[in-house]
Amino acid sequence: KAFFHKLNFDKPLQLEFGKTETALTYRTWGPVEKATAAFGHGIAVTPMHLLLAVNAMTNGGIYIYPTLLKRNAGAVRGERVLDSQISANLREIMFNIAEKTTAKKARVKGIEIGGKTGTAEKRGADRHVDKNRNVTVFTGIFPVSAPQYIILIMLDEPQGTKESGGWKTAAWNAVPTAGAILDGIIPLLFE
């Protein structure tokens, strides 16, 4: 709960164009909630909350509040939320996810990418989980050794295909979408 507070999950983010919603977390934090929140179960965050959290956890551990305004060149100040060695370890884990497991289809020749997938079942109008509807997400960082960019792909209610064997999780849709986008933009970013 304290770490979620450091990542500003407990309040809306005030941006130049307005504010975001507050992330949805547990009202009571018992042992089960603490364990399941650690892997994202039972919480819901806005895309901006997710981007800023992943950025902080992989940039050396500094939470940098976003702006749409141009910043002066030089170091950007922020608040330390994570030890730099833990951040380095998380980058390595994300690299291995992109190289060896669920995010392999996001790889692009010539650059090391780190990433993490996520698939969440949606709630129906009756507030019960609808196992037939989900949201998928892929968040990636690159270059993984010293991240300069972050990407987030989110798909609402993707459908399984013949190629995916009917699977509709992030590895089968958000990740290849991210890979196609990265394949197109990376040459422009690193000319």
Side-chain angles (χ1 to χ4, degrees):
K1 186 175 179 181
F3 188 61
F4 283 0
H5 173 72
K6 284 183 177 182
L7 297 175
N8 294 304
F9 281 4
D10 57 352
K11 61 185 167 194
L13 302 171
Q14 187 64 46
L15 305 169
E16 284 91 358
F17 55 83
K19 66 179 183 175
T20 67
E21 293 294 323
T22 301
L24 301 175
T25 60
Y26 294 107
R27 287 192 179 118
T28 354
W29 287 80
V32 171
E33 290 80 10
K34 289 176 186 174
T36 57
F39 58 84
H41 190 270
I43 65 170
V45 299
T46 69
M48 186 59 79
H49 280 96
L50 179 58
L51 280 170
L52 295 174
V54 171
N55 182 56
M57 290 188 283
T58 59
N59 72 7
I62 307 297
Y63 186 94
I64 300 169
Y65 207 80
T67 182
L68 300 175
L69 304 175
K70 184 176 181 178
R71 288 187 169 135
N72 292 330
V76 176
R77 291 191 305 190
E79 181 181 338
R80 177 156 302 280
V81 295
L82 194 66
D83 181 80
S84 61
Q85 185 57 53
I86 294 171
S87 178
N89 293 345
L90 288 172
R91 284 194 307 275
E92 183 67 25
I93 290 167
M94 289 177 74
F95 174 70
N96 284 322
I97 290 169
E99 280 295 306
K100 300 174 185 171
T101 65
T102 57
K104 287 190 286 193
K105 294 179 182 175
R107 291 185 297 197
V108 175
K109 186 177 180 182
I111 191 129
E112 291 183 336
I113 295 171
K116 181 66 183 96
T117 60
T119 302
E121 294 170 336
K122 294 177 72 171
R123 293 186 183 272
D126 62 359
R127 304 286 298 145
H128 290 91
V129 172
D130 182 346
K131 294 189 180 292
N132 296 315
R133 297 170 48 227
N134 63 16
V135 174
T136 61
V137 66
F138 171 77
T139 308
I141 57 167
F142 58 97
V144 78
S145 58
Q148 295 177 37
Y149 300 97
I150 188 167
I151 185 171
L152 178 121
I153 302 297
M154 182 180 288
L155 302 175
D156 187 27
E157 298 188 22
Q159 302 301 306
T161 63
K162 186 186 291 186
E163 293 82 11
S164 72
W167 287 95
K168 54 185 177 180
T169 57
W172 292 100
N173 49 58
V175 172
T177 301
I181 291 169
L182 291 170
D183 194 44
I185 66 170
I186 283 179
L188 302 173
L189 296 174
F190 298 100
E191 289 184 324

